[in-house]
Amino acid sequence: HSLSFDSKQFPITDSFLNECLRMYPPIWIISREALTHTKIGDDIIRQGTEIVFLPYFLHRDTRYWKDPEVFDPSRFSQKKSYPAFLPFGGGPRVCVGSQMAFRQSRMILGRVLHSFEFFSSPGQEVPEPLFTLRPKHGAKVILKKLKT
């Protein structure tokens, strides 16, 4: 039989996933071309200029996140908007697979957490920036089977 995991039933799972996505956004770099001359603050961005934006650094900016280097899923415990949270990009060009990826992750994590306790393996803090951000040497974790 199948189980359904949605945010109403599993808010802690969603908070955990959002915090993982904040710390290691799969879309870690975004580039866009300015369609018109634009002024941002005192700077003029000329039409045709390529603009590179890094959600990875936005997600670690102390102007938007308290203790951004600390893994704290509780920061997503309230249902509110987080404008400085763009793990899949944003706006009209947001990743089309973001909702599917989140739902699949929620389902898999929800099922696995019923059977195992997770521990991080030492030395796992090295992300590799390819097309998406991923662990350089794989995600090595220690699993301990829960007593049923």
Side-chain angles (χ1 to χ4, degrees):
H1 78 85
S2 79
L3 296 172
S4 169
F5 295 93
D6 66 63
S7 60
K8 293 176 190 148
Q9 294 175 321
F10 294 91
I12 293 170
T13 303
D14 284 2
S15 294
F16 177 85
L17 285 172
N18 280 328
E19 183 65 353
C20 289
L21 291 168
R22 183 192 68 80
M23 295 210 57
Y24 301 103
I27 305 298
W28 67 279
I29 187 169
I30 299 168
S31 68
R32 298 288 185 265
E33 183 179 318
L35 298 177
T36 61
H37 292 320
T38 305
K39 184 174 182 178
I40 299 177
D42 293 331
D43 298 315
I44 301 289
I45 298 172
R46 305 229 179 267
Q47 180 180 1
T49 302
E50 184 176 3
I51 302 159
V52 177
F53 173 73
L54 297 138
Y56 181 85
F57 292 117
L58 175 67
H59 293 175
R60 287 167 167 68
D61 191 322
T62 56
R63 292 175 293 178
Y64 307 107
W65 305 98
K66 181 182 177 204
D67 299 321
E69 295 298 329
V70 173
F71 184 82
D72 181 12
S74 70
R75 73 176 85 234
F76 288 99
S77 62
Q78 298 176 6
K79 294 292 179 195
K80 66 177 193 172
S81 175
Y82 297 92
F85 180 60
L86 304 168
F88 296 102
R93 294 185 62 190
V94 69
C95 175
V96 295
S98 63
Q99 292 299 311
M100 182 183 76
F102 193 85
R103 286 187 184 117
Q104 286 178 335
S105 297
R106 179 192 297 147
M107 221 169 32
I108 292 166
L109 184 62
R111 288 183 181 205
V112 171
L113 287 176
H114 282 98
S115 302
F116 296 96
E117 185 174 0
F118 286 73
F119 300 92
S120 63
S121 185
Q124 292 301 307
E125 295 294 322
V126 182
E128 184 173 29
L130 299 172
F131 179 72
T132 58
L133 189 66
R134 60 189 79 186
K136 186 167 186 163
H137 303 291
K140 296 176 180 144
V141 295
I142 300 165
L143 298 174
K144 179 180 176 187
K145 187 153 180 65
L146 295 173
K147 295 177 184 178
T148 55

